[in-house]
Amino acid sequence: MGAVRVHRVVEGPEEGPVVVFAGSLGSDLRMWEPQVAPLVERGYRVVRYDARGHGGSPVPPAPYRLEDLGADFVALLDDLGAERAHLVGLSLGGMTGMWLGVHVPDRIASLVLCCTSARLGPPSMWAERARKVRAEGTASVAEAGVGRWLTEPYAKSHPEVAEFLRAMIAAVPAEGYAACCEVIEHMDQLDALPKITAPTLVIAGAEDPATPLTGHADLIAGAIPGARLEVVANAAHLGNYEQPGEFTRLILDHLERA
């Protein structure tokens, strides 16, 4: 399968360093809204996009492969006339970032890998979720998704945010969501991580039930040469939205170092 032209929003100065934000399974580019203004104010050209099968992007027929998601990113850079970009990816976006760091290192200036995993089993769980979504739609997994994305105290004190994110998941096309579940089902990048040469920051949410620190972020940071690991308190899986100040501070600090 070839690359698709993903839906994107580009903000900030044309001459600024390009920072591309790649989102989670079940999200669209609105999940990165808390990060946009702070980066634009610092002179970065901020690019957010919807993964294939999500948001305003095309929904090609399954199967999707991780290399397809990587090809979509490379095509996006080509469209923008950008030789290289910093990539900030969360969950599925971070998985795409790791693949890119291994396979097209010349296009990656640096990586920020948020709340993600290089191998996220068991495979049967992803096969079952794909089956459920194809049969019942993404609304059937939206409540559980928000339960992983936000800590319970935050969701209770910010019901409007929980509802916004629930609706975001429910709006994702069922086939796109299911096909990306199957990407994760078949993914195992652990052995390839030492090949990544881009400056890398790994950020974990201290209360992330989907990709916990132990067995996920710690393995990624330990395998990528020179990678730095940061853990953000009171953050579940969509940590950039629940703790935007700390995530944005860490991202900006890494971009300046890189």
Side-chain angles (χ1 to χ4, degrees), residues 175-202:
E175 183 59 23
Y177 187 106
C180 285
C181 285
E182 291 164 342
V183 169
I184 301 171
E185 176 189 352
H186 298 290
M187 177 193 69
D188 186 349
Q189 303 192 82
L190 279 173
D191 290 345
L193 294 181
K195 298 177 183 178
I196 294 176
T197 57
T200 300
L201 169 65
V202 181

PDB file of all heavy atoms in Angstrom, residues 175-202:
ATOM      1  N   GLU A 175     -13.469   1.406  10.542  1.00  0.00           N
ATOM      2  CA  GLU A 175     -12.460   0.638   9.807  1.00  0.00           C
ATOM      3  C   GLU A 175     -11.063   1.189  10.038  1.00  0.00           C
ATOM      4  O   GLU A 175     -10.094   0.432  10.163  1.00  0.00           O
ATOM      5  CB  GLU A 175     -12.787   0.616   8.318  1.00  0.00           C
ATOM      6  CG  GLU A 175     -11.826  -0.233   7.482  1.00  0.00           C
ATOM      7  CD  GLU A 175     -11.765  -1.703   7.912  1.00  0.00           C
ATOM      8  OE1 GLU A 175     -12.726  -2.205   8.539  1.00  0.00           O
ATOM      9  OE2 GLU A 175     -10.742  -2.344   7.629  1.00  0.00           O
ATOM     10  N   GLY A 176     -10.939   2.514  10.105  1.00  0.00           N
ATOM     11  CA  GLY A 176      -9.636   3.112  10.376  1.00  0.00           C
ATOM     12  C   GLY A 176      -9.118   2.746  11.745  1.00  0.00           C
ATOM     13  O   GLY A 176      -7.938   2.393  11.916  1.00  0.00           O
ATOM     14  N   TYR A 177      -9.986   2.803  12.745  1.00  0.00           N
ATOM     15  CA  TYR A 177      -9.597   2.440  14.111  1.00  0.00           C
ATOM     16  C   TYR A 177      -9.199   0.962  14.163  1.00  0.00           C
ATOM     17  O   TYR A 177      -8.144   0.604  14.708  1.00  0.00           O
ATOM     18  CB  TYR A 177     -10.761   2.724  15.064  1.00  0.00           C
ATOM     19  CG  TYR A 177     -10.436   2.556  16.526  1.00  0.00           C
ATOM     20  CD1 TYR A 177     -10.272   3.660  17.353  1.00  0.00           C
ATOM     21  CD2 TYR A 177     -10.309   1.288  17.107  1.00  0.00           C
ATOM     22  CE1 TYR A 177      -9.992   3.519  18.714  1.00  0.00           C
ATOM     23  CE2 TYR A 177     -10.018   1.127  18.456  1.00  0.00           C
ATOM     24  CZ  TYR A 177      -9.864   2.245  19.255  1.00  0.00           C
ATOM     25  OH  TYR A 177      -9.574   2.094  20.595  1.00  0.00           O
ATOM     26  N   ALA A 178     -10.027   0.105  13.586  1.00  0.00           N
ATOM     27  CA  ALA A 178      -9.757  -1.333  13.641  1.00  0.00           C
ATOM     28  C   ALA A 178      -8.464  -1.690  12.925  1.00  0.00           C
ATOM     29  O   ALA A 178      -7.662  -2.491  13.424  1.00  0.00           O
ATOM     30  CB  ALA A 178     -10.930  -2.098  13.025  1.00  0.00           C
ATOM     31  N   ALA A 179      -8.238  -1.089  11.759  1.00  0.00           N
ATOM     32  CA  ALA A 179      -7.012  -1.395  11.010  1.00  0.00           C
ATOM     33  C   ALA A 179      -5.774  -0.947  11.767  1.00  0.00           C
ATOM     34  O   ALA A 179      -4.722  -1.605  11.696  1.00  0.00           O
ATOM     35  CB  ALA A 179      -7.073  -0.741   9.631  1.00  0.00           C
ATOM     36  N   CYS A 180      -5.865   0.167  12.519  1.00  0.00           N
ATOM     37  CA  CYS A 180      -4.723   0.612  13.325  1.00  0.00           C
ATOM     38  C   CYS A 180      -4.540  -0.267  14.559  1.00  0.00           C
ATOM     39  O   CYS A 180      -3.409  -0.476  15.011  1.00  0.00           O
ATOM     40  CB  CYS A 180      -4.878   2.079  13.712  1.00  0.00           C
ATOM     41  SG  CYS A 180      -4.554   3.219  12.339  1.00  0.00           S
ATOM     42  N   CYS A 181      -5.638  -0.825  15.102  1.00  0.00           N
ATOM     43  CA  CYS A 181      -5.498  -1.840  16.150  1.00  0.00           C
ATOM     44  C   CYS A 181      -4.652  -3.010  15.647  1.00  0.00           C
ATOM     45  O   CYS A 181      -3.801  -3.548  16.374  1.00  0.00           O
ATOM     46  CB  CYS A 181      -6.870  -2.366  16.568  1.00  0.00           C
ATOM     47  SG  CYS A 181      -7.855  -1.271  17.592  1.00  0.00           S
ATOM     48  N   GLU A 182      -4.876  -3.388  14.400  1.00  0.00           N
ATOM     49  CA  GLU A 182      -4.138  -4.525  13.840  1.00  0.00           C
ATOM     50  C   GLU A 182      -2.674  -4.187  13.596  1.00  0.00           C
ATOM     51  O   GLU A 182      -1.812  -5.074  13.653  1.00  0.00           O
ATOM     52  CB  GLU A 182      -4.836  -4.998  12.571  1.00  0.00           C
ATOM     53  CG  GLU A 182      -6.189  -5.636  12.889  1.00  0.00           C
ATOM     54  CD  GLU A 182      -7.106  -5.791  11.691  1.00  0.00           C
ATOM     55  OE1 GLU A 182      -6.885  -5.125  10.652  1.00  0.00           O
ATOM     56  OE2 GLU A 182      -8.074  -6.574  11.797  1.00  0.00           O
ATOM     57  N   VAL A 183      -2.368  -2.917  13.348  1.00  0.00           N
ATOM     58  CA  VAL A 183      -0.964  -2.497  13.280  1.00  0.00           C
ATOM     59  C   VAL A 183      -0.285  -2.783  14.613  1.00  0.00           C
ATOM     60  O   VAL A 183       0.819  -3.359  14.676  1.00  0.00           O
ATOM     61  CB  VAL A 183      -0.851  -0.998  12.938  1.00  0.00           C
ATOM     62  CG1 VAL A 183       0.586  -0.512  13.125  1.00  0.00           C
ATOM     63  CG2 VAL A 183      -1.305  -0.724  11.510  1.00  0.00           C
ATOM     64  N   ILE A 184      -0.946  -2.389  15.710  1.00  0.00           N
ATOM     65  CA  ILE A 184      -0.365  -2.594  17.042  1.00  0.00           C
ATOM     66  C   ILE A 184      -0.296  -4.083  17.371  1.00  0.00           C
ATOM     67  O   ILE A 184       0.678  -4.551  17.978  1.00  0.00           O
ATOM     68  CB  ILE A 184      -1.179  -1.821  18.092  1.00  0.00           C
ATOM     69  CG1 ILE A 184      -1.201  -0.322  17.754  1.00  0.00           C
ATOM     70  CG2 ILE A 184      -0.607  -2.032  19.493  1.00  0.00           C
ATOM     71  CD1 ILE A 184      -2.145   0.504  18.597  1.00  0.00           C
ATOM     72  N   GLU A 185      -1.301  -4.824  16.953  1.00  0.00           N
ATOM     73  CA  GLU A 185      -1.329  -6.283  17.192  1.00  0.00           C
ATOM     74  C   GLU A 185      -0.058  -6.950  16.669  1.00  0.00           C
ATOM     75  O   GLU A 185       0.497  -7.845  17.320  1.00  0.00           O
ATOM     76  CB  GLU A 185      -2.556  -6.878  16.492  1.00  0.00           C
ATOM     77  CG  GLU A 185      -2.652  -8.392  16.570  1.00  0.00           C
ATOM     78  CD  GLU A 185      -3.756  -8.952  15.686  1.00  0.00           C
ATOM     79  OE1 GLU A 185      -4.556  -8.180  15.120  1.00  0.00           O
ATOM     80  OE2 GLU A 185      -3.806 -10.196  15.551  1.00  0.00           O
ATOM     81  N   HIS A 186       0.422  -6.516  15.519  1.00  0.00           N
ATOM     82  CA  HIS A 186       1.555  -7.183  14.865  1.00  0.00           C
ATOM     83  C   HIS A 186       2.897  -6.485  15.110  1.00  0.00           C
ATOM     84  O   HIS A 186       3.916  -6.913  14.580  1.00  0.00           O
ATOM     85  CB  HIS A 186       1.294  -7.276  13.361  1.00  0.00           C
ATOM     86  CG  HIS A 186       0.084  -8.093  13.018  1.00  0.00           C
ATOM     87  ND1 HIS A 186       0.036  -9.458  13.188  1.00  0.00           N
ATOM     88  CD2 HIS A 186      -1.140  -7.729  12.545  1.00  0.00           C
ATOM     89  CE1 HIS A 186      -1.156  -9.911  12.824  1.00  0.00           C
ATOM     90  NE2 HIS A 186      -1.881  -8.880  12.429  1.00  0.00           N
ATOM     91  N   MET A 187       2.904  -5.423  15.921  1.00  0.00           N
ATOM     92  CA  MET A 187       4.118  -4.620  16.089  1.00  0.00           C
ATOM     93  C   MET A 187       5.053  -5.209  17.141  1.00  0.00           C
ATOM     94  O   MET A 187       4.629  -5.586  18.231  1.00  0.00           O
ATOM     95  CB  MET A 187       3.727  -3.195  16.517  1.00  0.00           C
ATOM     96  CG  MET A 187       4.937  -2.308  16.779  1.00  0.00           C
ATOM     97  SD  MET A 187       4.501  -0.768  17.641  1.00  0.00           S
ATOM     98  CE  MET A 187       4.042  -1.379  19.257  1.00  0.00           C
ATOM     99  N   ASP A 188       6.326  -5.268  16.822  1.00  0.00           N
ATOM    100  CA  ASP A 188       7.376  -5.560  17.801  1.00  0.00           C
ATOM    101  C   ASP A 188       8.646  -4.869  17.324  1.00  0.00           C
ATOM    102  O   ASP A 188       9.326  -5.346  16.418  1.00  0.00           O
ATOM    103  CB  ASP A 188       7.604  -7.062  17.957  1.00  0.00           C
ATOM    104  CG  ASP A 188       8.598  -7.385  19.077  1.00  0.00           C
ATOM    105  OD1 ASP A 188       9.261  -6.445  19.575  1.00  0.00           O
ATOM    106  OD2 ASP A 188       8.713  -8.569  19.447  1.00  0.00           O
ATOM    107  N   GLN A 189       8.952  -3.729  17.950  1.00  0.00           N
ATOM    108  CA  GLN A 189      10.099  -2.922  17.530  1.00  0.00           C
ATOM    109  C   GLN A 189      11.252  -2.957  18.537  1.00  0.00           C
ATOM    110  O   GLN A 189      12.246  -2.240  18.364  1.00  0.00           O
ATOM    111  CB  GLN A 189       9.679  -1.457  17.333  1.00  0.00           C
ATOM    112  CG  GLN A 189       8.560  -1.253  16.336  1.00  0.00           C
ATOM    113  CD  GLN A 189       8.399   0.200  15.963  1.00  0.00           C
ATOM    114  OE1 GLN A 189       9.117   0.723  15.111  1.00  0.00           O
ATOM    115  NE2 GLN A 189       7.444   0.880  16.594  1.00  0.00           N
ATOM    116  N   LEU A 190      11.135  -3.757  19.581  1.00  0.00           N
ATOM    117  CA  LEU A 190      12.116  -3.694  20.660  1.00  0.00           C
ATOM    118  C   LEU A 190      13.544  -3.925  20.172  1.00  0.00           C
ATOM    119  O   LEU A 190      14.458  -3.186  20.531  1.00  0.00           O
ATOM    120  CB  LEU A 190      11.762  -4.714  21.752  1.00  0.00           C
ATOM    121  CG  LEU A 190      10.685  -4.277  22.756  1.00  0.00           C
ATOM    122  CD1 LEU A 190      10.323  -5.436  23.671  1.00  0.00           C
ATOM    123  CD2 LEU A 190      11.173  -3.080  23.574  1.00  0.00           C
ATOM    124  N   ASP A 191      13.741  -4.936  19.341  1.00  0.00           N
ATOM    125  CA  ASP A 191      15.109  -5.267  18.917  1.00  0.00           C
ATOM    126  C   ASP A 191      15.702  -4.211  17.999  1.00  0.00           C
ATOM    127  O   ASP A 191      16.932  -4.120  17.871  1.00  0.00           O
ATOM    128  CB  ASP A 191      15.131  -6.625  18.211  1.00  0.00           C
ATOM    129  CG  ASP A 191      14.873  -7.780  19.171  1.00  0.00           C
ATOM    130  OD1 ASP A 191      14.965  -7.576  20.394  1.00  0.00           O
ATOM    131  OD2 ASP A 191      14.552  -8.890  18.695  1.00  0.00           O
ATOM    132  N   ALA A 192      14.860  -3.407  17.349  1.00  0.00           N
ATOM    133  CA  ALA A 192      15.352  -2.400  16.405  1.00  0.00           C
ATOM    134  C   ALA A 192      15.717  -1.083  17.072  1.00  0.00           C
ATOM    135  O   ALA A 192      16.420  -0.256  16.470  1.00  0.00           O
ATOM    136  CB  ALA A 192      14.297  -2.142  15.332  1.00  0.00           C
ATOM    137  N   LEU A 193      15.277  -0.858  18.306  1.00  0.00           N
ATOM    138  CA  LEU A 193      15.446   0.458  18.933  1.00  0.00           C
ATOM    139  C   LEU A 193      16.896   0.933  19.024  1.00  0.00           C
ATOM    140  O   LEU A 193      17.155   2.134  18.887  1.00  0.00           O
ATOM    141  CB  LEU A 193      14.809   0.460  20.326  1.00  0.00           C
ATOM    142  CG  LEU A 193      13.288   0.299  20.373  1.00  0.00           C
ATOM    143  CD1 LEU A 193      12.798   0.333  21.817  1.00  0.00           C
ATOM    144  CD2 LEU A 193      12.589   1.385  19.553  1.00  0.00           C
ATOM    145  N   PRO A 194      17.878   0.050  19.241  1.00  0.00           N
ATOM    146  CA  PRO A 194      19.256   0.546  19.318  1.00  0.00           C
ATOM    147  C   PRO A 194      19.762   1.192  18.024  1.00  0.00           C
ATOM    148  O   PRO A 194      20.797   1.874  18.041  1.00  0.00           O
ATOM    149  CB  PRO A 194      20.065  -0.719  19.650  1.00  0.00           C
ATOM    150  CG  PRO A 194      19.096  -1.606  20.359  1.00  0.00           C
ATOM    151  CD  PRO A 194      17.790  -1.368  19.653  1.00  0.00           C
ATOM    152  N   LYS A 195      19.031   1.009  16.919  1.00  0.00           N
ATOM    153  CA  LYS A 195      19.434   1.629  15.658  1.00  0.00           C
ATOM    154  C   LYS A 195      19.058   3.114  15.588  1.00  0.00           C
ATOM    155  O   LYS A 195      19.518   3.819  14.677  1.00  0.00           O
ATOM    156  CB  LYS A 195      18.783   0.897  14.476  1.00  0.00           C
ATOM    157  CG  LYS A 195      19.191  -0.563  14.351  1.00  0.00           C
ATOM    158  CD  LYS A 195      18.445  -1.240  13.206  1.00  0.00           C
ATOM    159  CE  LYS A 195      18.793  -2.719  13.106  1.00  0.00           C
ATOM    160  NZ  LYS A 195      18.030  -3.397  12.029  1.00  0.00           N
ATOM    161  N   ILE A 196      18.219   3.587  16.502  1.00  0.00           N
ATOM    162  CA  ILE A 196      17.782   4.978  16.461  1.00  0.00           C
ATOM    163  C   ILE A 196      18.928   5.888  16.891  1.00  0.00           C
ATOM    164  O   ILE A 196      19.534   5.687  17.949  1.00  0.00           O
ATOM    165  CB  ILE A 196      16.547   5.198  17.356  1.00  0.00           C
ATOM    166  CG1 ILE A 196      15.351   4.426  16.776  1.00  0.00           C
ATOM    167  CG2 ILE A 196      16.210   6.683  17.495  1.00  0.00           C
ATOM    168  CD1 ILE A 196      14.096   4.486  17.634  1.00  0.00           C
ATOM    169  N   THR A 197      19.224   6.877  16.070  1.00  0.00           N
ATOM    170  CA  THR A 197      20.323   7.809  16.351  1.00  0.00           C
ATOM    171  C   THR A 197      19.837   9.215  16.669  1.00  0.00           C
ATOM    172  O   THR A 197      20.623  10.041  17.130  1.00  0.00           O
ATOM    173  CB  THR A 197      21.280   7.878  15.154  1.00  0.00           C
ATOM    174  OG1 THR A 197      20.536   8.259  13.979  1.00  0.00           O
ATOM    175  CG2 THR A 197      21.948   6.536  14.901  1.00  0.00           C
ATOM    176  N   ALA A 198      18.569   9.507  16.428  1.00  0.00           N
ATOM    177  CA  ALA A 198      18.040  10.848  16.689  1.00  0.00           C
ATOM    178  C   ALA A 198      18.021  11.113  18.195  1.00  0.00           C
ATOM    179  O   ALA A 198      17.741  10.194  18.989  1.00  0.00           O
ATOM    180  CB  ALA A 198      16.629  10.984  16.129  1.00  0.00           C
ATOM    181  N   PRO A 199      18.291  12.344  18.621  1.00  0.00           N
ATOM    182  CA  PRO A 199      18.130  12.689  20.042  1.00  0.00           C
ATOM    183  C   PRO A 199      16.699  12.369  20.475  1.00  0.00           C
ATOM    184  O   PRO A 199      15.744  12.799  19.822  1.00  0.00           O
ATOM    185  CB  PRO A 199      18.404  14.185  20.087  1.00  0.00           C
ATOM    186  CG  PRO A 199      19.219  14.472  18.863  1.00  0.00           C
ATOM    187  CD  PRO A 199      18.743  13.501  17.816  1.00  0.00           C
ATOM    188  N   THR A 200      16.557  11.612  21.547  1.00  0.00           N
ATOM    189  CA  THR A 200      15.243  11.088  21.919  1.00  0.00           C
ATOM    190  C   THR A 200      14.912  11.375  23.371  1.00  0.00           C
ATOM    191  O   THR A 200      15.715  11.119  24.268  1.00  0.00           O
ATOM    192  CB  THR A 200      15.175   9.564  21.675  1.00  0.00           C
ATOM    193  OG1 THR A 200      15.414   9.295  20.283  1.00  0.00           O
ATOM    194  CG2 THR A 200      13.819   9.000  22.062  1.00  0.00           C
ATOM    195  N   LEU A 201      13.703  11.882  23.577  1.00  0.00           N
ATOM    196  CA  LEU A 201      13.111  12.038  24.904  1.00  0.00           C
ATOM    197  C   LEU A 201      11.924  11.095  24.996  1.00  0.00           C
ATOM    198  O   LEU A 201      11.073  11.081  24.100  1.00  0.00           O
ATOM    199  CB  LEU A 201      12.650  13.478  25.123  1.00  0.00           C
ATOM    200  CG  LEU A 201      11.784  13.747  26.356  1.00  0.00           C
ATOM    201  CD1 LEU A 201      12.569  13.494  27.642  1.00  0.00           C
ATOM    202  CD2 LEU A 201      11.238  15.167  26.334  1.00  0.00           C
ATOM    203  N   VAL A 202      11.865  10.322  26.062  1.00  0.00           N
ATOM    204  CA  VAL A 202      10.737   9.434  26.329  1.00  0.00           C
ATOM    205  C   VAL A 202       9.983   9.996  27.533  1.00  0.00           C
ATOM    206  O   VAL A 202      10.588  10.230  28.582  1.00  0.00           O
ATOM    207  CB  VAL A 202      11.217   7.993  26.616  1.00  0.00           C
ATOM    208  CG1 VAL A 202      10.031   7.072  26.856  1.00  0.00           C
ATOM    209  CG2 VAL A 202      12.082   7.476  25.470  1.00  0.00           C
TER     210      VAL A 202
END
